[in-house]
Amino acid sequence: MNDVSLREQSIVLIGFMGVGKTTIGRSVAKKLYRDFIDIDEEIEKKFNLPTPEIFKKYGEKKFRETEKEIIIHSCKQKLKIISVGGGAFLQEEIRKACLSECIIFFLDLSWDSWKERISLLIDSRPVLQGKTIEQIEKLFYERQPIYEGHHSRVITDNLVVDEIADYITDSLKTAWDIYEPNGN
Ligand SMILES: Nc1ncnc2c1ncn2[C@@H]1O[C@H](COP(=O)(O)OP(=O)(O)OP(=O)(O)O)[C@@H](O)[C@H]1O
Ligand SMILES: O=C(O)C1=C[C@@H](O)[C@@H](O)[C@H](O)C1
Ligand SMILES: [Mg+2]
Protein backbone atom coordinates (compact mmCIF):
# COMPACT_ATOMS: atom_id res chain seq x y z
CA MET A 1 0.00 0.00 0.00
CA ASN A 2 1.03 3.57 -0.63
CA ASP A 3 1.25 6.37 1.98
CA VAL A 4 -2.20 7.81 1.16
CA SER A 5 -4.53 7.88 4.19
CA LEU A 6 -7.65 5.68 4.20
CA ARG A 7 -9.87 8.78 3.94
CA GLU A 8 -8.01 9.93 0.83
CA GLN A 9 -7.98 6.61 -1.00
CA SER A 10 -10.11 6.45 -4.12
CA ILE A 11 -13.09 4.10 -4.21
CA VAL A 12 -13.50 1.65 -7.09
CA LEU A 13 -16.80 -0.06 -7.95
CA ILE A 14 -16.59 -3.43 -9.70
CA GLY A 15 -19.06 -6.09 -10.86
CA PHE A 16 -20.65 -7.59 -13.95
CA MET A 17 -21.88 -5.21 -16.66
CA GLY A 18 -25.19 -3.60 -15.77
CA VAL A 19 -25.09 -4.19 -12.01
CA GLY A 20 -25.16 -0.42 -11.51
CA LYS A 21 -21.52 0.70 -11.13
CA THR A 22 -21.96 3.90 -13.14
CA THR A 23 -25.33 4.87 -11.65
CA ILE A 24 -24.34 4.07 -8.06
CA GLY A 25 -20.81 5.52 -8.45
CA ARG A 26 -22.26 8.86 -9.56
CA SER A 27 -24.59 8.88 -6.53
CA VAL A 28 -21.80 7.97 -4.06
CA ALA A 29 -19.61 10.75 -5.51
CA LYS A 30 -22.39 13.30 -4.92
CA LYS A 31 -22.97 12.13 -1.36
CA LEU A 32 -19.24 12.32 -0.53
CA TYR A 33 -18.59 15.55 -2.54
CA ARG A 34 -15.97 13.75 -4.63
CA ASP A 35 -15.16 13.73 -8.34
CA PHE A 36 -16.59 10.80 -10.27
CA ILE A 37 -14.69 8.98 -13.00
CA ASP A 38 -16.51 6.51 -15.23
CA ILE A 39 -13.83 4.58 -17.09
CA ASP A 40 -16.12 3.64 -20.02
CA GLU A 41 -16.96 7.33 -20.48
CA GLU A 42 -13.25 8.22 -20.42
CA ILE A 43 -12.54 5.59 -23.10
CA GLU A 44 -15.43 6.91 -25.23
CA LYS A 45 -14.10 10.48 -24.86
CA LYS A 46 -10.64 9.37 -25.95
CA PHE A 47 -11.96 7.73 -29.14
CA ASN A 48 -14.82 10.22 -29.51
CA LEU A 49 -17.05 7.20 -30.21
CA PRO A 50 -19.61 5.11 -28.28
CA THR A 51 -18.31 1.75 -27.02
CA PRO A 52 -20.00 -0.45 -29.69
CA GLU A 53 -18.36 1.71 -32.40
CA ILE A 54 -14.94 1.43 -30.70
CA PHE A 55 -15.31 -2.38 -30.70
CA LYS A 56 -16.33 -2.34 -34.39
CA LYS A 57 -13.71 0.09 -35.65
CA TYR A 58 -10.66 -0.71 -33.47
CA GLY A 59 -11.49 -4.13 -31.95
CA GLU A 60 -11.84 -5.33 -28.35
CA LYS A 61 -8.04 -5.63 -27.92
CA LYS A 62 -7.52 -1.89 -28.47
CA PHE A 63 -10.48 -1.15 -26.14
CA ARG A 64 -8.90 -3.30 -23.40
CA GLU A 65 -5.46 -1.66 -23.83
CA THR A 66 -7.00 1.79 -23.46
CA GLU A 67 -9.10 0.62 -20.51
CA LYS A 68 -5.92 -0.57 -18.77
CA GLU A 69 -4.00 2.68 -19.40
CA ILE A 70 -6.85 4.84 -18.09
CA ILE A 71 -7.52 2.70 -14.99
CA ILE A 72 -3.84 2.43 -14.01
CA HIS A 73 -3.61 6.22 -14.25
CA SER A 74 -6.94 6.93 -12.49
CA CYS A 75 -6.49 4.57 -9.56
CA LYS A 76 -3.32 6.41 -8.51
CA GLN A 77 -5.32 9.59 -7.96
CA LYS A 78 -6.69 10.49 -4.54
CA LEU A 79 -10.30 11.11 -3.44
CA LYS A 80 -12.04 9.84 -6.59
CA ILE A 81 -15.04 7.58 -7.02
CA ILE A 82 -14.25 5.32 -9.96
CA SER A 83 -16.61 3.00 -11.83
CA VAL A 84 -14.78 0.53 -14.04
CA GLY A 85 -16.28 -1.45 -16.92
CA GLY A 86 -17.64 -4.93 -16.22
CA GLY A 87 -14.72 -6.58 -18.04
CA ALA A 88 -11.91 -4.47 -16.58
CA PHE A 89 -11.02 -7.02 -13.88
CA LEU A 90 -10.31 -9.64 -16.56
CA GLN A 91 -6.85 -8.02 -16.66
CA GLU A 92 -4.62 -9.01 -13.76
CA GLU A 93 -2.61 -5.77 -13.94
CA ILE A 94 -5.81 -3.77 -13.41
CA ARG A 95 -6.92 -5.97 -10.52
CA LYS A 96 -3.54 -5.62 -8.79
CA ALA A 97 -3.32 -1.86 -9.29
CA CYS A 98 -6.84 -1.22 -7.97
CA LEU A 99 -6.41 -3.56 -5.01
CA SER A 100 -3.17 -1.92 -3.91
CA GLU A 101 -4.18 1.72 -4.48
CA CYS A 102 -7.94 1.89 -3.77
CA ILE A 103 -10.85 0.61 -1.69
CA ILE A 104 -12.88 -1.78 -3.84
CA PHE A 105 -16.62 -2.39 -3.53
CA PHE A 106 -18.03 -5.38 -5.43
CA LEU A 107 -21.63 -4.83 -6.46
CA ASP A 108 -23.13 -8.30 -6.38
CA LEU A 109 -26.44 -8.87 -8.19
CA SER A 110 -27.99 -12.32 -8.67
CA TRP A 111 -28.50 -13.71 -12.17
CA ASP A 112 -32.28 -13.75 -11.65
CA SER A 113 -32.33 -10.02 -10.93
CA TRP A 114 -29.74 -9.22 -13.58
CA LYS A 115 -31.66 -10.89 -16.42
CA GLU A 116 -34.63 -8.56 -15.83
CA ARG A 117 -32.31 -5.68 -16.87
CA ILE A 118 -31.11 -7.07 -20.19
CA SER A 119 -33.24 -4.86 -22.43
CA LEU A 120 -31.66 -1.77 -20.80
CA LEU A 121 -28.20 -3.01 -21.65
CA ILE A 122 -28.11 -4.83 -24.95
CA ASP A 123 -27.72 -1.83 -27.33
CA SER A 124 -24.72 -0.35 -25.56
CA ARG A 125 -22.84 -3.49 -24.47
CA PRO A 126 -21.19 -5.17 -27.49
CA VAL A 127 -20.08 -8.14 -25.37
CA LEU A 128 -23.75 -9.13 -24.94
CA GLN A 129 -24.71 -8.71 -28.59
CA GLY A 130 -25.30 -11.80 -30.74
CA LYS A 131 -25.45 -14.08 -27.70
CA THR A 132 -28.33 -16.24 -26.54
CA ILE A 133 -29.60 -15.82 -22.97
CA GLU A 134 -27.93 -19.14 -22.11
CA GLN A 135 -24.58 -17.86 -23.43
CA ILE A 136 -24.97 -14.64 -21.43
CA GLU A 137 -25.80 -16.65 -18.29
CA LYS A 138 -22.64 -18.72 -18.86
CA LEU A 139 -20.58 -15.51 -19.22
CA PHE A 140 -22.19 -14.09 -16.06
CA TYR A 141 -21.06 -17.08 -13.98
CA GLU A 142 -17.65 -17.40 -15.71
CA ARG A 143 -16.92 -13.77 -14.86
CA GLN A 144 -17.77 -14.00 -11.12
CA PRO A 145 -14.26 -15.21 -10.03
CA ILE A 146 -12.62 -12.06 -11.44
CA TYR A 147 -14.54 -9.98 -8.89
CA GLU A 148 -13.26 -12.03 -5.92
CA GLY A 149 -10.55 -9.50 -5.13
CA HIS A 150 -12.38 -6.72 -3.29
CA HIS A 151 -12.57 -5.07 0.13
CA SER A 152 -16.36 -5.05 0.54
CA ARG A 153 -19.26 -6.87 -1.15
CA VAL A 154 -22.67 -5.27 -1.47
CA ILE A 155 -25.62 -7.53 -2.30
CA THR A 156 -27.77 -5.23 -4.42
CA ASP A 157 -30.85 -7.39 -5.15
CA ASN A 158 -34.11 -5.57 -4.35
CA LEU A 159 -32.33 -2.32 -3.42
CA VAL A 160 -32.77 0.99 -5.21
CA VAL A 161 -29.77 3.07 -6.27
CA ASP A 162 -30.03 5.48 -3.34
CA GLU A 163 -30.11 2.67 -0.77
CA ILE A 164 -26.97 1.08 -2.22
CA ALA A 165 -25.16 4.44 -2.39
CA ASP A 166 -26.14 5.14 1.23
CA TYR A 167 -24.88 1.72 2.31
CA ILE A 168 -21.50 2.38 0.65
CA THR A 169 -21.09 5.90 2.06
CA ASP A 170 -22.17 4.82 5.57
CA SER A 171 -19.76 1.88 5.62
CA LEU A 172 -16.91 4.11 4.43
CA LYS A 173 -17.64 6.71 7.11
CA THR A 174 -17.70 3.96 9.76
CA ALA A 175 -14.34 2.59 8.58
CA TRP A 176 -12.81 6.07 8.45
CA ASP A 177 -13.99 6.81 12.01
CA ILE A 178 -12.63 3.49 13.33
CA TYR A 179 -9.26 3.53 11.61
CA GLU A 180 -8.61 7.28 11.37
CA PRO A 181 -10.58 8.78 14.29
CA ASN A 182 -8.64 12.04 14.16
CA GLY A 183 -9.49 12.56 10.50
CA ASN A 184 -6.04 11.79 9.11
N1 LIG B 1 -30.30 -0.78 -8.02
C1 LIG B 1 -30.84 -0.69 -9.23
N2 LIG B 1 -32.11 -1.03 -9.41
C2 LIG B 1 -32.69 -0.97 -10.63
N3 LIG B 1 -32.04 -0.58 -11.76
C3 LIG B 1 -30.77 -0.23 -11.65
C4 LIG B 1 -30.09 -0.27 -10.39
N4 LIG B 1 -28.81 0.10 -10.60
C5 LIG B 1 -28.70 0.37 -11.91
N5 LIG B 1 -29.87 0.18 -12.55
C6 LIG B 1 -30.15 0.36 -13.99
O1 LIG B 1 -29.41 -0.67 -14.67
C7 LIG B 1 -28.86 -0.16 -15.87
C8 LIG B 1 -27.37 -0.41 -15.87
O2 LIG B 1 -26.76 0.39 -14.86
P1 LIG B 1 -25.28 0.95 -15.03
O3 LIG B 1 -25.06 1.51 -16.38
O4 LIG B 1 -25.03 1.84 -13.86
O5 LIG B 1 -24.45 -0.40 -14.91
P2 LIG B 1 -22.87 -0.64 -14.94
O6 LIG B 1 -22.56 -1.59 -13.85
O7 LIG B 1 -22.16 0.68 -14.93
O8 LIG B 1 -22.64 -1.36 -16.33
P3 LIG B 1 -21.27 -1.48 -17.21
O9 LIG B 1 -20.39 -2.50 -16.55
O10 LIG B 1 -21.72 -2.01 -18.50
O11 LIG B 1 -20.66 -0.14 -17.28
C9 LIG B 1 -29.23 1.33 -15.93
O12 LIG B 1 -30.35 1.46 -16.78
C10 LIG B 1 -29.58 1.68 -14.50
O13 LIG B 1 -30.56 2.71 -14.41
O1 LIG C 1 -18.19 -6.47 -19.37
C1 LIG C 1 -17.60 -6.03 -20.38
O2 LIG C 1 -16.80 -6.72 -21.03
C2 LIG C 1 -17.85 -4.63 -20.77
C3 LIG C 1 -18.58 -3.82 -19.94
C4 LIG C 1 -18.84 -2.40 -20.22
O3 LIG C 1 -18.77 -1.66 -19.02
C5 LIG C 1 -17.84 -1.84 -21.23
O4 LIG C 1 -16.56 -1.68 -20.63
C6 LIG C 1 -17.74 -2.73 -22.43
O5 LIG C 1 -19.01 -2.78 -23.04
C7 LIG C 1 -17.26 -4.14 -22.05
MG1 LIG D 1 -20.85 1.56 -16.27
Side-chain angles (χ1 to χ4, degrees):
M1 245 269 286
N2 46 39
D3 56 6
V4 174
S5 74
L6 191 65
R7 283 174 195 268
E8 289 181 319
Q9 270 189 296
S10 289
I11 310 304
V12 172
L13 302 187
I14 64 166
F16 195 67
M17 69 193 101
V19 295
K21 301 176 295 294
T22 298
T23 322
I24 293 154
R26 193 167 276 125
S27 173
V28 170
K30 270 203 193 116
K31 288 175 192 287
L32 293 175
Y33 304 98
R34 288 195 181 189
D35 291 335
F36 174 61
I37 303 175
D38 185 78
I39 301 297
D40 285 331
E41 279 175 21
E42 296 302 313
I43 300 169
E44 291 184 341
K45 271 192 241 160
K46 185 156 183 180
F47 286 95
N48 197 24
L49 285 173
T51 299
E53 297 304 315
I54 303 172
F55 269 62
K56 242 183 249 158
K57 195 163 171 194
Y58 297 99
E60 181 171 350
K61 189 165 176 274
K62 183 77 190 156
F63 178 92
R64 297 295 177 199
E65 282 166 14
T66 311
E67 182 174 48
K68 184 167 79 182
E69 268 168 38
I70 296 177
I71 295 177
I72 302 281
H73 171 78
S74 303
C75 75
K76 292 192 178 118
Q77 296 180 42
K78 292 193 270 189
L79 296 165
K80 308 290 181 207
I81 306 297
I82 304 169
S83 292
V84 301
F89 265 40
L90 287 167
Q91 301 190 65
E92 192 186 2
E93 237 180 292
I94 296 182
R95 290 199 301 271
K96 282 190 170 158
C98 291
L99 273 164
S100 67
E101 305 284 348
C102 304
I103 301 170
I104 303 182
F105 281 85
F106 167 40
L107 303 187
D108 193 2
L109 184 69
S110 70
W111 167 253
D112 282 343
S113 299
W114 186 89
K115 68 178 187 226
E116 302 298 322
R117 254 181 231 179
I118 192 157
S119 63
L120 300 171
L121 306 172
I122 195 83
D123 290 344
S124 53
R125 273 68 169 188
V127 172
L128 300 179
Q129 291 164 5
K131 287 191 171 65
T132 63
I133 192 73
E134 290 77 18
Q135 286 169 325
I136 294 173
E137 183 178 8
K138 186 164 173 276
L139 181 71
F140 179 92
Y141 285 110
E142 273 170 7
R143 286 266 186 100
Q144 295 307 308
I146 67 172
Y147 310 121
E148 270 167 17
H150 56 259
H151 299 104
S152 181
R153 181 170 77 117
V154 188
I155 297 169
T156 63
D157 286 74
N158 306 314
L159 295 179
V160 299
V161 170
D162 207 46
E163 289 172 318
I164 302 163
D166 276 342
Y167 175 83
I168 292 172
T169 51
D170 289 349
S171 58
L172 280 168
K173 285 176 184 169
T174 304
W176 293 336
D177 288 344
I178 292 170
Y179 295 108
E180 291 177 352
N182 300 319
N184 52 34

